[in-house]
């Protein structure tokens, strides 16, 4: 039995504002959209849940995938992406993405981004060197630096410490506004409504639904949950990519540091306690096999041996190369007393990337008029059942620029005045339930899943206690959104009775050709309804 969706406690608006476009989130997707909108003369408001520097984007180390080498081709980049997506990519959308990528990235160059000169990088699943780096292993920080500077120099209004809560729609179901909470130091929300005909969700993924994730604390599935409550179509939520090489720290919870895959591209090897390579003989690409393959091999090995973690051996790179190419990784390791040029790095898989999300096209259009979704919160058909490494920043920048261009040209559409309706209200979820839920998610909805484990997750979801936080506060908002993301994921995972891409079921160990379709969910009357079908034409 699938538990019903939990809605948020009622809120009372104490302030009002107006905008032509509200962009929710300040990662690569949201800031690209805002930069593209900046010259349009539109009144653009950007919401940042925390500081302008929050989100996954500034943490991205590996790179950004684009075709620049004459030996490489769009066809090859598209084909690698489609292979990784394990039968669920939308080929036309993938082709559009890889062709749009060079010009979108050139825009970042025009904004002043300094990409590393010299050879392009190689990452798992790519058949050519096409990964652009910056600052060695600091691509995200560099992109974010130039996007932030462009926004600060523009007339776009940035509201920091302001969190999107729920959509407001008009009587025809179109977006009419957004309820927003200004967050104070104690986590209390001062709630208001921004009247607007266009909301661009760029809120990132839902990694915090798991006990171990590379995603920062502010990535709590807010955009996915907000869209779900408003009745938008969501796609492929069961597909979460687990990164194989997340730094293992005993007893750690929440965000854990990532040890970049590029380290394996440069010669690093995953080994067991005896120093034996665990990927040799497992896959033709060895340590550079797709992430789901590596994560699964690791979990299998750990389950068989009873080990809590494995090791990354990067000693062969030597001190000089580690310091010049991987300064971020080296400083993360050193902060924990590990010297990667002489010692093995402890690692285990952790939740990393949400392949699914709000169903959208590459311009961000969703199934609700006036609601757009770009970047990791969106499911466009690019990543399908599994994301190819370094394609997410590419997609975030391309879709961000495209939705910005689209809304710059759109006929100015005044925010509709009432009658308006907001989504139903309920008790919300108590913040203290987060730990138990995240533990259940990591154990039963992680790298390997089965019906029994997923039913256990649904039972935990059913039993979570309602919040008595009235008025609504940030902790309740995030707990409720994580509950919703977990509910959607567990439901989609239990319904997908096969193994495909990064969704592995031990009770259905192979792909079922009859199920090679996106799974599309939406909420109706508080319950999840499902259909399967094509992604395009949101
Ligand atoms: C450690 C790490 C390394 C990575 N390395 C790479 C890489 O090398 N290459 C690659 O392609 N991808 C990489 N990824 C993935 C990639 O970084 C993300 O997919 C991408 O940055 C997502 O961008 P985004 O703009 O969609 O979301 P994010 O950058 O996550 O930004 C989301 C924003 O939304 C805000 N927000 C969330 N909820 C609300 C709300 N309710 N109200 C207001 N604001 C809200 C957040 O505060 C944040 O500002 C990595 C991810 C991590 C975590």
């Amino acid at each position: 039995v699938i538990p019903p969706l939990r809605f948020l406690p009622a809120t009372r608006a104490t302030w009002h504002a107006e905008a032509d476009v509200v962009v929710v989130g300040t990662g690569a997707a949201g800031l690209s959209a805002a930069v593209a909108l900046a010259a349009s003369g539109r009144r653009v408001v950007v919401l940042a849940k925390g500081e302008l520097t929050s989100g996954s984007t500034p943490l991205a180390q590996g790179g950004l995938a684009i075709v620049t080498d004459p030996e490489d081709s769009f066809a090859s980049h598209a084909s690698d992406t489609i292979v990784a997506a394990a039968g669920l990519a939308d080929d036309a959308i993938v082709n559009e993405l890889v062709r749009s990528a060079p010009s979108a990235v050139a825009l970042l160059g025009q904004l002043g981004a300094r990409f590393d000169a010299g050879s392009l990088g190689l990452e798992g699943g790519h058949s050519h060197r096409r990964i652009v780096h910056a600052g060695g292993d600091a691509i995200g920080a560099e992109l974010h630096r130039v996007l932030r500077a462009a926004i600060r120099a523009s007339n776009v209004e940035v509201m920091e410490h302001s969190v999107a809560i729920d959509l407001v729609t008009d009587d025809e179901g179109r977006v009419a506004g957004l309820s927003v909470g200004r967050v104070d130091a104690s986590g209390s929300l001062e709630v208001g409504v921004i009247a607007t005909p266009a909301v661009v969700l760029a809120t990132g993924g839902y990694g915090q639904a798991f006990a171990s994730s590379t995603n920062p604390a502010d990535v709590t599935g807010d955009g996915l949950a907000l869209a779900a409550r408003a009745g938008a179509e969501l796609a492929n939520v069961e597909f979460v990519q687990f990164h194989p090489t997340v730094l293992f720290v005993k007893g750690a919870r929440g965000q854990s540091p990532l040890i970049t895959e590029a380290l394996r591209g440069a010669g690093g090897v995953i080994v067991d306690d005896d120093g034996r390579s665990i990927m040799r003989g497992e896959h033709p690409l060895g340590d550079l096999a797709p992430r789901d393959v590596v994560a699964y091999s690791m979990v299998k090995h750990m389950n068989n041996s009873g080990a809590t973690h494995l090791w990354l051996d990067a000693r062969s790179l030597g001190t000089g190369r580690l310091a010049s190419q991987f300064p971020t990784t080296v400083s993360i390791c050193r902060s924990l007393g590990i010297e990667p040029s002489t010692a093995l790095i402890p690692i285990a898989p952790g939740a990393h990337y949400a392949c699914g999300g709000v169903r959208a096209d590459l311009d961000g259009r969703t199934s609700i008029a006036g609601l757009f979704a770009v970047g990791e919160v969106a499911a466009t058909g690019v990543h399908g059942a599994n994301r190819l490494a370094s394609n997410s920043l590419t997609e975030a920048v391309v879709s961000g620029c495209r939705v910005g261009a689209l809304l710059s040209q759109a006929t100015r559409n005044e925010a509709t005045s009432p009658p308006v309706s907001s989504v139903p209200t309920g008790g919300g979820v108590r913040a203290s339930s987060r730990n138990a839920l995240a533990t259940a998610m990591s154990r039963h909805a992680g790298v390997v899943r089965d019906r029994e484990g997923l039913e256990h997750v649904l039972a935990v979801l059913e039993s979570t206690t309602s919040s008595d936080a009235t008025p609504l506060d940030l902790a309740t908002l995030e707990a409720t959104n994580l509950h919703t993301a977990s509910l959607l994921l567990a439901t989609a995972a239990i319904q997908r009775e096969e193994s495909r891409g990064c969704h592995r079921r031990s009770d259905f160990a192979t792909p079922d050709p009859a199920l090679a379709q996106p799974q599309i969910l939406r909420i109706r009357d508080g319950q999840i309804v499902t259909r399967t079908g094509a992604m395009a034409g949101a």
Side-chain angles (χ1 to χ4, degrees):
V1 179
I2 313 286
L5 186 85
R6 302 287 184 87
F7 289 95
L8 293 166
T11 54
R12 203 169 58 81
T14 57
W15 55 270
H16 290 85
E18 284 184 12
D20 294 320
V21 182
V22 178
V23 177
V24 187
T26 57
L31 290 186
S32 298
V35 168
L37 272 158
S40 68
R42 299 283 194 271
R43 291 166 303 170
V44 182
V45 171
V46 178
L47 303 183
K49 190 179 197 175
E51 310 282 327
L52 197 51
T53 47
S54 56
S56 294
T57 299
L59 304 175
Q61 301 171 12
L64 192 152
I66 51 165
V67 173
T68 52
D69 180 358
E71 302 278 295
D72 195 2
S73 66
F74 292 135
S76 167
H77 187 185
S79 155
D80 291 344
T81 304
I82 290 164
V83 168
L88 293 195
D90 183 317
D91 295 9
I93 300 268
V94 171
N95 276 301
E96 214 175 321
L97 174 81
V98 299
R99 285 171 186 281
S100 311
S103 53
V105 174
L107 263 174
L108 295 168
Q110 285 160 25
L111 293 178
R114 293 186 290 261
F115 299 117
D116 292 351
S119 73
L120 295 160
L122 183 65
E123 284 189 342
H126 287 275
S127 51
H128 270 90
R129 290 192 167 270
R130 63 171 73 98
I131 314 300
V132 177
H133 298 294
D137 58 0
I139 183 78
E142 179 61 5
L143 293 193
H144 211 259
R145 180 185 72 79
V146 299
L147 288 168
R148 271 196 325 264
I151 283 301
R152 287 206 172 108
S154 75
N155 55 2
V156 166
E157 184 190 344
V158 178
M159 287 173 60
E160 287 182 304
H161 302 286
S162 298
V163 67
I165 302 172
D166 266 324
L167 276 188
V168 179
T169 49
D170 67 14
D171 48 8
E172 286 170 20
R174 292 175 312 206
V175 169
L178 182 72
S179 60
V180 174
R182 290 189 188 127
V183 190
D184 74 9
S186 70
S188 298
L189 301 180
E190 190 195 344
V191 178
V193 170
I194 306 180
T196 180
V199 170
V200 179
L201 296 177
T203 51
Y206 37 92
Q208 288 297 320
F210 293 88
S212 164
S213 173
T214 59
N215 295 183
D218 50 319
V219 174
T220 51
D222 295 7
L224 180 80
L226 176 158
R229 288 191 291 271
E233 287 199 333
L234 319 162
N236 293 341
V237 185
E238 64 272 40
F239 297 105
V240 170
Q241 188 173 83
F242 293 85
H243 200 292
T245 53
V246 177
L247 192 77
F248 175 82
V249 181
K250 197 163 180 262
R253 293 191 76 83
Q255 185 188 3
S256 304
L258 172 72
I259 303 299
T260 176
E261 188 159 30
L263 212 55
R264 278 175 285 140
V269 179
I270 299 172
V271 297
D272 62 15
D273 285 352
D274 300 321
R276 279 193 299 261
S277 157
I278 66 134
M279 288 311 296
R280 193 176 302 135
E282 289 279 317
H283 190 278
L285 291 171
D287 281 89
L288 289 177
R291 287 178 181 166
D292 65 294
V293 176
V294 180
Y296 179 59
S297 300
M298 289 173 71
V299 168
K300 224 171 42 179
H301 200 96
M302 286 157 63
N303 287 347
N304 288 341
S305 66
T308 52
H309 63 282
L310 294 163
W311 306 93
L312 186 67
D313 186 351
R315 292 174 298 178
S316 63
L317 275 72
T319 318
R321 200 162 163 213
L322 279 167
S324 64
Q325 280 183 29
F326 303 101
T328 310
T329 307
V330 170
S331 86
I332 289 168
C333 289
R334 283 188 184 153
S335 72
L336 292 162
I338 303 159
E339 178 48 57
S341 59
T342 54
L344 303 180
I345 306 168
I347 48 160
H352 184 52
Y353 184 80
C355 300
V358 183
R359 190 171 80 95
D361 65 15
L362 213 52
D363 292 321
R365 292 184 199 89
T366 71
S367 60
I368 294 184
L371 180 66
F372 301 83
V374 289
E376 192 168 338
V377 70
T380 60
V382 166
H383 308 300
N386 205 354
R387 174 193 69 132
L388 186 64
S390 285
N391 263 356
S392 41
L393 282 177
T394 306
E395 187 200 37
V397 173
V398 166
S399 281
C401 289
R402 285 173 68 125
V403 77
L406 178 81
L407 292 172
S408 296
Q409 285 153 18
T411 328
R412 206 172 187 135
N413 184 7
E414 292 304 325
T416 34
S417 27
V420 290
S421 59
S422 33
V423 296
T425 53
V429 169
R430 198 185 281 268
S432 58
S433 64
R434 272 184 64 169
N435 249 355
L437 182 52
T439 301
M441 286 289 285
S442 276
R443 198 164 293 158
H444 300 295
V447 176
V448 190
R449 304 157 172 181
D450 64 16
R451 169 167 286 274
E452 201 187 343
L454 291 165
E455 279 174 348
H456 174 77
V457 174
L458 291 175
V460 173
L461 284 159
E462 170 91 71
S463 67
T464 50
T465 39
S466 290
S467 167
D468 51 11
T470 40
L472 176 68
D473 59 17
L474 181 63
T476 303
L477 175 70
E478 293 190 330
T480 310
N481 288 340
L482 285 168
H483 184 278
T484 298
S486 305
L487 174 65
L488 292 163
L489 188 149
T491 304
I494 212 165
Q495 289 176 172
R496 187 171 282 283
E497 295 188 326
E498 62 164 352
S499 289
R500 178 182 298 281
C502 51
H503 167 70
R504 292 210 179 232
R505 291 273 304 250
S506 55
D507 46 353
F508 295 94
T510 54
D512 177 349
L515 299 180
Q517 294 192 68
Q519 192 176 192
I520 296 166
L521 309 179
R522 74 187 309 166
I523 301 294
R524 204 172 287 149
D525 300 327
Q527 294 291 338
I528 297 176
V529 291
T530 310
R531 72 173 178 86
T532 51
M535 287 296 296

